[in-house]
Amino acid sequence: QVQLVESGGGLVQAGESLRLSCAASVSIFSIATMGWYRQAPGKQRELVAAITSGGITNYVDSVKGRFTISRDNAKNTVYLQMNSLKPEDTAVYYCNAHVPRPSYFPVDYWGQGTQVTVSS
């Protein structure tokens, strides 16, 4: 059973930083594109940042220059360093593993979510 276990959320003031972590099952981490999504109340879930197995990264425009996604393949862990946080970053953040499968559709796995609240 694939599991993604997130940690690092919390309550901070605007301008402060947080680092989210997501530990994944050994069997899928090395081949998965890992991503962080977020969902604010009343809004759709959106992709915040992603990193491929080869280390290529992608960010939503609203976090470019403030957030950094990285992965440690030895620890099967992906991180999201969030700096200069803004109240509009408040959301539940979800870890995602997008896993390719030969000759079949890819599969997505999700963490349970971690709350990030930024006060003004």
Side-chain angles (χ1 to χ4, degrees):
Q1 181 72 17
V2 174
Q3 287 188 325
L4 302 176
V5 180
E6 300 144 339
S7 60
L11 171 63
V12 296
Q13 293 190 336
E16 295 184 339
S17 299
L18 279 175
R19 189 176 79 155
L20 305 182
S21 300
C22 173
S25 301
V26 174
S27 62
I28 58 100
F29 188 82
S30 64
I31 62 172
T33 291
M34 301 299 298
W36 287 97
Y37 287 71
R38 67 186 178 187
Q39 187 165 21
K43 294 188 177 181
Q44 290 189 331
R45 188 174 297 190
E46 67 169 350
L47 175 64
V48 175
I51 183 167
T52 69
S53 57
I56 298 171
T57 58
N58 187 42
Y59 299 90
V60 68
D61 285 345
S62 61
V63 308
K64 286 181 179 177
R66 299 189 297 122
F67 290 11
T68 303
I69 189 170
S70 62
R71 64 193 293 161
D72 185 335
N73 290 335
K75 296 182 179 180
N76 303 312
T77 301
V78 62
Y79 304 97
L80 185 66
Q81 178 66 44
M82 305 185 293
N83 298 330
S84 302
L85 281 161
K86 303 176 180 180
E88 51 263 44
D89 295 317
T90 295
V92 178
Y93 284 70
Y94 296 91
C95 179
N96 167 268
H98 184 75
V99 183
R101 294 188 292 178
S103 304
Y104 205 70
F105 296 106
V107 63
D108 283 285
Y109 299 97
W110 295 91
Q112 78 283 2
T114 185
Q115 177 70 46
V116 172
T117 303
V118 184
S119 63
S120 57

